[in-house]
Amino acid sequence: MSTNKTFDEVKKDLKDLALGDHKLTDIIKIITSCTTFTDETVKSFVGAVYDDNDSTVPLEELYVDLTYQRKLKLLKLLQHLKRKYNGKTGFSKEKAGHIDVAIRPNGRKYVWDGFRRAIMALLCDMKDIACSIYTHNPDISNLKARQYEAELFL
């Protein structure tokens, strides 16, 4: 994958992501391949830090199933991150709340609600995010797990 893409090329790559499973860190690699997405932009985004007693999940472990998620609108995410909150730009854990994660029978952790918030956290170089975790019955198929997550998402 080229690391010298225009913003429009990155937007197209995000729009053209195949339905199905994608690791969030792979989506971040697409976004940061943009030549206009400079280190200065990333450094201006401040991440949030959670307390030890917060229930969090490592962002690097998360997947998204684009079968039932809406497409990612990069410009809108960047606009959210550029807004000042308490004098800083970046991720606001108070505004974001928590994301909802489901652990499928295959052991993978899927964001079923909060996909965009998780991407914003990764753009702010965060390692963890507050979450609520649901574990699917291990006796169901991954397809049934996906269908249930889609139902929850709606």
Side-chain angles (χ1 to χ4, degrees):
M1 177 179 355
S2 169
T3 58
N4 295 315
K5 294 187 176 190
T6 67
F7 190 79
D8 286 338
E9 289 172 322
V10 169
K11 280 185 2 185
K12 183 179 180 338
D13 288 349
L14 293 172
K15 183 181 177 214
D16 292 345
L17 282 173
L19 297 181
D21 302 352
H22 296 273
K23 196 161 187 178
L24 295 189
T25 53
D26 291 338
I27 294 172
I28 291 298
K29 287 176 188 170
I30 293 170
I31 294 170
T32 57
S33 72
C34 182
T35 55
T36 58
F37 197 74
T38 64
D39 285 340
E40 291 172 16
T41 301
V42 175
K43 288 176 185 171
S44 74
F45 297 152
V46 177
V49 178
Y50 291 95
D51 298 324
D52 290 339
N53 59 346
D54 289 326
S55 177
T56 62
V57 63
L59 286 156
E60 70 180 15
E61 295 178 4
L62 295 178
Y63 287 79
V64 64
D65 189 333
L66 293 180
T67 306
Y68 61 83
Q69 291 282 342
R70 293 170 307 212
K71 294 292 182 183
L72 196 61
K73 294 181 180 172
L74 181 56
L75 186 58
K76 190 166 188 137
L77 291 184
L78 294 174
Q79 288 169 342
H80 282 296
L81 290 172
K82 288 179 181 179
R83 286 190 194 133
K84 288 205 180 222
Y85 181 75
N86 285 341
K88 298 182 231 171
T89 60
F91 190 86
S92 165
K93 68 180 184 179
E94 295 82 9
K95 284 184 178 179
H98 70 275
I99 65 169
D100 293 304
V101 174
I103 301 175
R104 289 195 186 166
N106 64 6
R108 287 185 176 175
K109 296 174 184 166
Y110 288 81
V111 179
W112 63 265
D113 189 20
F115 165 45
R116 286 152 192 76
R117 286 172 275 162
I119 291 292
M120 287 191 295
L122 280 163
L123 286 172
C124 292
D125 202 30
M126 291 172 55
K127 304 298 178 217
D128 301 289
I129 192 166
C131 69
S132 170
I133 295 182
Y134 170 78
T135 303
H136 287 284
N137 180 331
D139 297 330
I140 68 168
S141 69
N142 283 315
L143 175 62
K144 290 283 186 195
R146 176 199 303 155
Q147 290 169 337
Y148 186 61
E149 291 162 22
E151 188 180 310
L152 293 172
F153 182 68
L154 292 174

